[in-house]
Amino acid sequence: MAIIERTSYFAKTGLKSEVLSTRRAACAVRLRIGLRAGSIVVGGGESGEPDVAWQCQFSDRAAREADMAARAASPEFEAVRKRMSALIGKFERHVFETADLGLPSGMRDTPLDGHAMTPREFDFASAGFALKGYLHLPPGAGPFPLLITNHGSGIDKGVEDVSRPGTAALLASWGVASLLPHRRGYGNSCGPGWREEVTAPYGSDAYDAELARRLDAESADIIAALDVASALPEVDSRHVGVMGSSFGGTTTLLAAAKTDRFTCAVDFAGAAMNWDRTPGLRRLMLAAAARVSCPIFFIQAANDYSIRPTLEIPSSLPADGRAVYSRIFPTFGVNNHEGHLLESRGSAIWADTVRDFLERHL
């Protein structure tokens, strides 16, 4: 578990601003001597609370001890510390060790310093196709809650963007394992590519029918991945969710409608590029949403190709007590395509929101 040091400063009368500026100076010195700046909070004036507090997180006690030694060895830091002592009437230092949140899912803050984000590759099958999956595990002992994360159409055969370690690292920092299956015809998996089965002109009735049929078939690959993942000793099969973007968002919704074994689902931008011109696919997704029993979250950026899926699917569902969430985030980038990539490129934007959802429902 990580170590958190928190120091509290109680200013002499009228000197709160000087205490704050001196603490900022101490943070600047920390940077100059090769330490992390940490963070500062300011009291709101409640009786008994400090005027200013500083805190910093360390990977372990040895890291904090090394930090303390560097401070003590710095004449510049000692000078700032002496200046601070003249401004305060009281000083407190507390050291904490982080603890598991105790959530039913097992999610917890998990430092990744020194942890290799290298997945385990494994084979599985769906509808006779030999498929590949990439499992990322957090450090420490499992079993872990798991998200099956689903790629869009961009993982072509032979692509080097294989395991999506960026999203996996974010999830691992929350104590969540992740499995990225390559669905049929994508990446390192066998089978025809989607463009081999969706050959009609875009916007035509035939294109609509072919695309709906193809994506529905791909969702079966997610169920096959669920079957394999649920049997892994590192996975807590009671807490497995599903998440994806674009084609991966659509197949996330369709897969969640086919089983009650997912504890939650997150659909980023599912069908955003097709919704306006594919009434058959719309009907398929709306019908699937009506069958989803787990909590589900629909997410898009305001400048995605179409935000109608995130507006219309949730509003189509009856107010029957099911947990259905939706959010349109502000514009991401300068065009529709950048907005469409919110999930893969914008985790700094959506991370807190999605984590809150997972803590409640994974």
XYZ file of all heavy atoms in Angstrom, residues 67-140:
566
model
N 12.887 10.574 0.575
C 12.420 11.942 0.392
C 12.790 12.798 1.603
O 13.286 13.935 1.461
C 10.908 11.923 0.176
C 10.338 13.266 -0.236
O 10.237 14.158 0.631
O 9.972 13.424 -1.416
N 12.567 12.266 2.798
C 12.911 12.996 4.015
C 14.412 13.294 4.074
O 14.838 14.394 4.462
C 12.498 12.171 5.236
C 10.992 12.001 5.413
S 10.197 13.465 6.091
C 10.742 13.380 7.795
N 15.224 12.331 3.657
C 16.678 12.531 3.679
C 17.091 13.622 2.697
O 17.978 14.436 2.998
C 17.372 11.212 3.352
N 16.452 13.663 1.537
C 16.781 14.699 0.552
C 16.414 16.078 1.071
O 17.152 17.053 0.856
C 16.057 14.408 -0.757
N 15.289 16.193 1.761
C 14.917 17.479 2.357
C 15.957 17.930 3.381
O 16.385 19.087 3.396
C 13.556 17.360 3.045
C 12.366 17.210 2.133
C 11.083 17.076 2.948
N 10.422 15.796 2.730
C 9.336 15.397 3.364
N 8.793 16.168 4.295
N 8.790 14.226 3.105
N 16.325 17.005 4.261
C 17.262 17.348 5.334
C 18.626 17.742 4.794
O 19.348 18.537 5.413
C 17.395 16.158 6.291
N 18.980 17.207 3.630
C 20.297 17.491 3.052
C 20.318 18.774 2.235
O 21.382 19.179 1.767
C 20.732 16.316 2.175
N 19.181 19.437 2.072
C 19.110 20.635 1.230
C 19.130 21.908 2.079
O 18.159 22.188 2.798
C 17.828 20.602 0.393
O 17.587 21.856 -0.209
N 20.183 22.711 2.023
C 20.202 23.981 2.752
C 19.057 24.903 2.321
O 18.503 25.628 3.154
C 21.566 24.578 2.395
C 22.406 23.397 2.009
C 21.461 22.454 1.348
N 18.709 24.862 1.039
C 17.629 25.722 0.549
C 16.305 25.319 1.182
O 15.509 26.183 1.599
C 17.539 25.641 -0.977
C 16.555 26.640 -1.570
C 16.485 26.562 -3.084
O 17.019 25.591 -3.669
O 15.863 27.463 -3.686
N 16.053 24.025 1.282
C 14.808 23.578 1.898
C 14.793 23.908 3.385
O 13.769 24.334 3.937
C 14.606 22.072 1.687
C 13.220 21.602 2.044
C 12.193 21.655 1.114
C 12.926 21.136 3.318
C 10.901 21.245 1.440
C 11.647 20.725 3.661
C 10.636 20.780 2.715
N 15.921 23.741 4.043
C 15.996 24.069 5.471
C 15.737 25.549 5.706
O 15.118 25.935 6.701
C 17.359 23.657 6.022
C 17.520 22.163 6.213
C 16.528 21.605 7.211
O 16.409 22.168 8.320
O 15.840 20.610 6.880
N 16.172 26.414 4.783
C 15.939 27.856 4.927
C 14.442 28.162 4.814
O 13.907 28.996 5.576
C 16.724 28.616 3.858
N 13.758 27.503 3.890
C 12.312 27.711 3.765
C 11.595 27.192 5.000
O 10.668 27.816 5.522
C 11.771 27.022 2.492
C 10.255 27.129 2.425
C 12.398 27.621 1.247
N 12.058 26.053 5.498
C 11.450 25.488 6.710
C 11.619 26.450 7.893
O 10.680 26.634 8.687
C 12.095 24.138 6.997
C 11.565 23.443 8.232
C 12.234 22.093 8.394
N 11.674 21.099 7.480
C 12.232 19.924 7.240
N 13.402 19.613 7.787
N 11.643 19.057 6.435
N 12.782 27.071 8.005
C 13.010 28.026 9.098
C 12.112 29.242 8.943
O 11.567 29.750 9.937
C 14.486 28.439 9.108
C 14.854 29.370 10.246
C 16.351 29.671 10.243
C 16.730 30.598 11.381
N 18.196 30.896 11.392
N 11.944 29.708 7.692
C 11.056 30.855 7.463
C 9.619 30.512 7.844
O 8.898 31.321 8.439
C 11.134 31.268 5.984
C 10.359 32.539 5.674
C 10.830 33.182 4.376
N 10.368 32.478 3.183
C 11.148 31.833 2.334
N 12.464 31.769 2.544
N 10.658 31.232 1.270
N 9.199 29.288 7.543
C 7.845 28.874 7.879
C 7.627 28.841 9.386
O 6.560 29.227 9.889
C 7.569 27.487 7.282
C 6.185 26.932 7.621
S 4.830 27.821 6.805
C 4.825 26.975 5.217
N 8.620 28.396 10.136
C 8.458 28.272 11.592
C 8.165 29.615 12.251
O 7.528 29.675 13.319
C 9.712 27.642 12.200
O 10.825 28.506 12.064
N 8.603 30.715 11.627
C 8.333 32.037 12.182
C 6.918 32.514 11.882
O 6.449 33.481 12.492
C 9.345 33.037 11.632
N 6.229 31.839 10.958
C 4.900 32.280 10.521
C 3.764 31.515 11.174
O 2.609 31.933 11.093
C 4.783 32.131 8.993
C 5.798 32.903 8.141
C 5.642 32.493 6.676
C 5.590 34.407 8.306
N 4.079 30.393 11.827
C 3.016 29.523 12.324
C 3.053 29.408 13.838
O 4.102 29.549 14.472
C 3.108 28.117 11.695
C 4.468 27.471 12.011
C 2.854 28.182 10.191
C 4.589 26.034 11.509
N 1.881 29.162 14.381
C 1.791 28.926 15.811
C 1.768 27.458 16.144
O 2.016 27.065 17.291
N 1.489 26.634 15.115
C 1.369 25.194 15.360
C 1.643 24.450 14.059
O 1.298 24.917 12.969
C -0.040 24.873 15.873
C -0.288 23.415 16.220
C -1.730 23.248 16.704
C -2.064 21.800 16.975
N -3.487 21.627 17.382
N 2.285 23.279 14.194
C 2.612 22.444 13.038
C 2.307 20.988 13.382
O 2.583 20.540 14.502
C 4.098 22.597 12.693
C 4.614 21.578 11.703
C 4.401 21.739 10.350
C 5.306 20.452 12.149
C 4.875 20.806 9.440
C 5.791 19.520 11.247
C 5.571 19.691 9.887
N 1.717 20.265 12.442
C 1.444 18.842 12.656
C 1.865 18.051 11.419
O 1.696 18.525 10.293
C -0.051 18.599 12.918
C -0.566 19.196 14.208
C -2.062 18.948 14.397
O -2.701 18.427 13.449
O -2.583 19.273 15.481
N 2.421 16.867 11.659
C 2.737 15.966 10.551
C 2.080 14.616 10.834
O 2.199 14.086 11.932
C 4.245 15.779 10.385
C 4.584 14.724 9.326
C 6.088 14.519 9.157
N 6.698 15.616 8.435
C 7.697 16.353 8.884
N 8.198 16.124 10.086
N 8.194 17.341 8.156
N 1.398 14.095 9.842
C 0.757 12.784 9.961
C 1.165 11.935 8.764
O 1.258 12.429 7.632
C -0.764 12.914 10.002
C -1.267 13.748 11.141
N -1.388 13.262 12.419
C -1.656 15.054 11.197
C -1.842 14.212 13.221
N -2.010 15.321 12.504
N 1.397 10.678 9.015
C 1.755 9.728 7.964
C 0.710 8.616 7.941
O 0.411 8.010 8.979
C 3.165 9.144 8.183
C 3.505 8.132 7.089
C 4.199 10.262 8.210
N 0.158 8.384 6.755
C -0.906 7.396 6.604
C -0.477 6.308 5.627
O 0.329 6.542 4.729
C -2.186 8.045 6.049
C -2.697 9.199 6.848
C -2.321 10.501 6.536
C -3.557 9.001 7.919
C -2.793 11.573 7.265
C -4.036 10.072 8.653
C -3.656 11.366 8.329
N -1.032 5.151 5.811
C -0.888 4.066 4.849
C -2.245 3.837 4.218
O -3.252 3.694 4.916
C -0.400 2.797 5.550
C -0.139 1.644 4.605
C 0.459 0.441 5.323
O 1.675 0.448 5.595
O -0.306 -0.498 5.615
N -2.285 3.834 2.894
C -3.577 3.656 2.224
C -4.120 2.255 2.507
O -3.371 1.297 2.694
C -3.458 3.867 0.708
O -2.509 2.935 0.180
C -3.018 5.278 0.387
N -5.432 2.159 2.532
C -6.114 0.883 2.777
C -7.082 0.601 1.635
O -7.505 1.519 0.923
C -6.874 0.937 4.108
N -7.382 -0.653 1.451
C -8.385 -1.010 0.456
C -9.690 -0.295 0.754
O -10.048 -0.081 1.929
C -8.639 -2.523 0.457
C -7.492 -3.300 -0.167
O -6.619 -2.666 -0.772
O -7.473 -4.537 -0.029
N -10.414 0.049 -0.295
C -11.695 0.728 -0.119
C -12.744 -0.180 0.502
O -13.740 0.292 1.047
C -12.196 1.238 -1.475
C -11.340 2.317 -2.140
C -11.830 2.590 -3.552
C -11.362 3.594 -1.325
N -12.537 -1.474 0.387
C -13.520 -2.402 0.926
C -14.760 -2.513 0.069
O -15.814 -2.933 0.546
N -14.655 -2.134 -1.211
C -15.805 -2.226 -2.107
C -16.094 -3.678 -2.428
O -15.190 -4.512 -2.495
C -15.523 -1.462 -3.400
C -15.248 0.039 -3.263
C -14.891 0.632 -4.619
C -16.454 0.743 -2.675
N -17.354 -4.010 -2.642
C -17.695 -5.407 -2.972
C -16.930 -5.935 -4.174
O -16.586 -7.118 -4.238
C -19.194 -5.341 -3.239
C -19.679 -4.168 -2.453
C -18.559 -3.175 -2.510
N -16.659 -5.063 -5.149
C -15.967 -5.497 -6.359
C -14.489 -5.767 -6.135
O -13.842 -6.436 -6.946
C -16.114 -4.435 -7.452
O -15.417 -3.255 -7.080
N -13.919 -5.211 -5.068
C -12.487 -5.317 -4.849
C -11.685 -4.210 -5.486
O -10.447 -4.226 -5.439
N -12.338 -3.215 -6.104
C -11.605 -2.079 -6.650
C -10.832 -1.368 -5.546
O -11.320 -1.253 -4.424
C -12.564 -1.096 -7.327
C -13.109 -1.558 -8.653
S -14.234 -0.339 -9.411
C -13.105 1.038 -9.729
N -9.635 -0.911 -5.886
C -8.809 -0.211 -4.896
C -7.740 0.593 -5.609
O -7.357 0.268 -6.737
C -8.150 -1.210 -3.948
C -7.234 -2.230 -4.633
C -6.671 -3.212 -3.610
N -5.735 -4.155 -4.204
C -6.075 -5.337 -4.715
N -7.346 -5.703 -4.728
N -5.158 -6.143 -5.217
N -7.263 1.648 -4.959
C -6.148 2.423 -5.492
C -4.916 1.530 -5.560
O -4.541 0.896 -4.567
C -5.862 3.639 -4.619
C -6.948 4.693 -4.724
O -7.487 4.864 -5.825
O -7.242 5.341 -3.702
N -4.285 1.479 -6.727
C -3.180 0.543 -6.955
C -2.028 1.256 -7.642
O -2.106 1.545 -8.838
C -3.652 -0.640 -7.829
O -4.795 -1.254 -7.219
C -2.554 -1.672 -7.997
N -0.938 1.565 -6.918
C 0.214 2.196 -7.566
C 0.807 1.274 -8.634
O 0.925 0.061 -8.423
C 1.195 2.414 -6.408
C 0.351 2.387 -5.169
C -0.754 1.427 -5.464
N 1.182 1.854 -9.755
C 1.724 1.068 -10.863
C 3.212 1.284 -11.069
O 3.776 0.756 -12.034
C 0.978 1.403 -12.164
C -0.520 1.117 -12.188
C -1.098 1.438 -13.565
C -0.824 -0.326 -11.815
N 3.859 2.048 -10.200
C 5.283 2.314 -10.347
C 6.057 0.997 -10.372
O 5.963 0.191 -9.447
C 5.765 3.187 -9.187
C 7.222 3.608 -9.336
O 7.698 3.691 -10.475
O 7.882 3.846 -8.307
N 6.797 0.758 -11.448
C 7.579 -0.461 -11.563
C 6.818 -1.657 -12.088
O 7.398 -2.738 -12.254
N 5.535 -1.472 -12.374
C 4.720 -2.593 -12.865
C 4.697 -2.588 -14.384
O 4.332 -1.593 -15.011
C 3.291 -2.472 -12.323
C 2.366 -3.546 -12.804
N 2.532 -4.862 -12.461
C 1.260 -3.493 -13.608
C 1.569 -5.586 -13.020
N 0.780 -4.781 -13.722
N 5.083 -3.686 -15.005
C 5.099 -3.794 -16.461
C 3.680 -4.012 -16.981
O 3.001 -4.954 -16.572
C 5.993 -4.943 -16.894
N 3.237 -3.132 -17.863
C 1.914 -3.287 -18.473
C 2.041 -4.167 -19.724
O 1.819 -3.739 -20.852
C 1.322 -1.919 -18.812
C 0.900 -1.109 -17.607
S -0.300 -1.949 -16.522
C -1.633 -2.291 -17.662
N 2.431 -5.398 -19.491
C 2.582 -6.385 -20.552
C 1.498 -7.439 -20.382
O 1.445 -8.103 -19.339
C 3.964 -7.044 -20.505
O 4.971 -6.032 -20.573
C 4.138 -8.025 -21.655
N 0.636 -7.611 -21.371
C -0.495 -8.517 -21.178
C -0.120 -9.972 -21.420
O 0.906 -10.291 -22.031
C -1.478 -8.057 -22.251
C -0.599 -7.589 -23.367
C 0.588 -6.943 -22.689
N -0.986 -10.832 -20.946
C -0.915 -12.241 -21.279
C -1.776 -12.486 -22.513
O -2.945 -12.112 -22.542
C -1.423 -13.090 -20.121
C -1.393 -14.599 -20.412
C -2.228 -15.379 -19.406
N -1.889 -15.018 -18.036
C -2.599 -15.411 -16.978
N -3.696 -16.143 -17.142
N -2.233 -15.047 -15.772
N -1.197 -13.070 -23.515
C -1.958 -13.404 -24.724
C -2.522 -14.809 -24.584
O -1.827 -15.722 -24.130
C -1.054 -13.326 -25.952
C -1.746 -13.693 -27.259
C -0.806 -13.664 -28.444
O -0.351 -12.564 -28.806
O -0.513 -14.754 -28.985
N -3.781 -14.974 -24.937
C -4.330 -16.326 -24.916
C -5.283 -16.525 -26.080
O -5.749 -15.567 -26.712
C -5.006 -16.646 -23.580
C -6.218 -15.824 -23.278
C -7.482 -16.234 -23.665
C -6.099 -14.626 -22.584
C -8.600 -15.472 -23.386
C -7.214 -13.860 -22.296
C -8.472 -14.286 -22.705
N -5.545 -17.773 -26.374
C -6.387 -18.162 -27.500
C -7.772 -18.545 -27.011
O -7.927 -19.139 -25.936
C -5.767 -19.355 -28.235
C -4.376 -19.067 -28.756
O -4.196 -18.027 -29.405
O -3.469 -19.892 -28.506
N -8.773 -18.206 -27.789
C -10.121 -18.693 -27.533
C -10.842 -18.785 -28.870
O -10.300 -18.394 -29.911
C -10.865 -17.819 -26.532
C -11.206 -16.441 -27.009
C -12.524 -16.107 -27.314
C -10.245 -15.440 -27.131
C -12.865 -14.824 -27.743
C -10.570 -14.163 -27.554
C -11.885 -13.859 -27.865
N -12.020 -19.336 -28.867
C -12.739 -19.580 -30.115
C -14.167 -19.070 -30.006
O -14.765 -19.032 -28.924
C -12.742 -21.072 -30.452
N -14.703 -18.666 -31.162
C -16.103 -18.236 -31.254
C -16.598 -18.546 -32.654
O -15.958 -18.147 -33.639
C -16.221 -16.736 -30.956
O -17.552 -16.283 -31.133
N -17.689 -19.263 -32.728
C -18.307 -19.605 -34.015
C -17.307 -20.241 -34.979
O -17.353 -20.007 -36.184
C -18.936 -18.368 -34.652
N -16.393 -21.009 -34.434
C -15.411 -21.686 -35.258
C -14.187 -20.865 -35.607
O -13.271 -21.378 -36.261
N -14.122 -19.612 -35.198
C -12.977 -18.755 -35.486
C -11.977 -18.806 -34.330
O -12.369 -18.747 -33.155
C -13.411 -17.308 -35.704
C -14.315 -17.116 -36.888
C -15.644 -16.761 -36.713
C -13.845 -17.296 -38.188
C -16.488 -16.581 -37.793
C -14.679 -17.125 -39.277
C -16.008 -16.770 -39.085
N -10.688 -18.905 -34.676
C -9.629 -18.856 -33.672
C -9.318 -17.389 -33.375
O -8.889 -16.643 -34.259
C -8.383 -19.580 -34.184
N -9.533 -16.981 -32.115
C -9.412 -15.578 -31.728
C -8.309 -15.396 -30.690
O -7.921 -16.336 -29.990
C -10.741 -15.066 -31.173
C -11.985 -15.289 -32.044
C -13.211 -14.699 -31.369
C -11.796 -14.718 -33.441
N -7.837 -14.161 -30.570
C -6.817 -13.803 -29.589
C -7.391 -12.820 -28.572
O -8.225 -11.965 -28.903
C -5.616 -13.138 -30.277
C -4.801 -14.061 -31.176
C -3.944 -15.021 -30.381
C -2.994 -15.788 -31.310
N -2.157 -16.753 -30.559
N -6.905 -12.943 -27.341
C -7.272 -11.988 -26.305
C -6.045 -11.562 -25.529
O -5.049 -12.306 -25.466
N -6.095 -10.355 -24.936
C -4.945 -9.790 -24.219
C -5.404 -9.351 -22.831
O -6.212 -8.435 -22.685
C -4.346 -8.640 -25.025
C -3.824 -9.129 -26.354
C -4.661 -9.202 -27.463
C -2.519 -9.598 -26.477
C -4.203 -9.705 -28.672
C -2.051 -10.100 -27.678
C -2.901 -10.155 -28.777
O -2.444 -10.671 -29.965
N -4.868 -10.038 -21.827
C -5.274 -9.837 -20.440
C -4.217 -9.049 -19.691
O -3.067 -9.467 -19.583
C -5.482 -11.193 -19.760
C -5.837 -11.162 -18.270
C -7.248 -10.603 -18.058
C -5.717 -12.559 -17.663
N -4.619 -7.880 -19.164
C -3.760 -7.065 -18.301
C -4.219 -7.234 -16.861
O -5.415 -7.082 -16.561
C -3.863 -5.586 -18.675
C -3.173 -5.221 -19.946
N -1.835 -4.908 -20.004
C -3.644 -5.097 -21.216
C -1.502 -4.600 -21.249
N -2.575 -4.713 -22.005
N -3.279 -7.512 -15.972
C -3.578 -7.673 -14.555
C -2.917 -6.571 -13.732
O -1.782 -6.176 -14.021
C -3.084 -9.026 -14.054
C -3.720 -10.264 -14.676
C -2.999 -11.523 -14.198
C -5.205 -10.345 -14.338
N -3.584 -6.061 -12.699
C -2.929 -5.128 -11.778
C -1.852 -5.864 -10.977
O -1.850 -7.099 -10.906
C -4.074 -4.669 -10.861
C -5.325 -5.115 -11.530
C -4.983 -6.315 -12.339
N -0.938 -5.124 -10.355
C 0.005 -5.778 -9.450
C -0.716 -6.301 -8.215
O -1.808 -5.851 -7.874
C 0.985 -4.661 -9.097
C 0.224 -3.395 -9.320
C -0.716 -3.681 -10.452
N -0.101 -7.253 -7.559
C -0.683 -7.787 -6.337
C -1.428 -9.079 -6.578
O -1.428 -9.649 -7.674
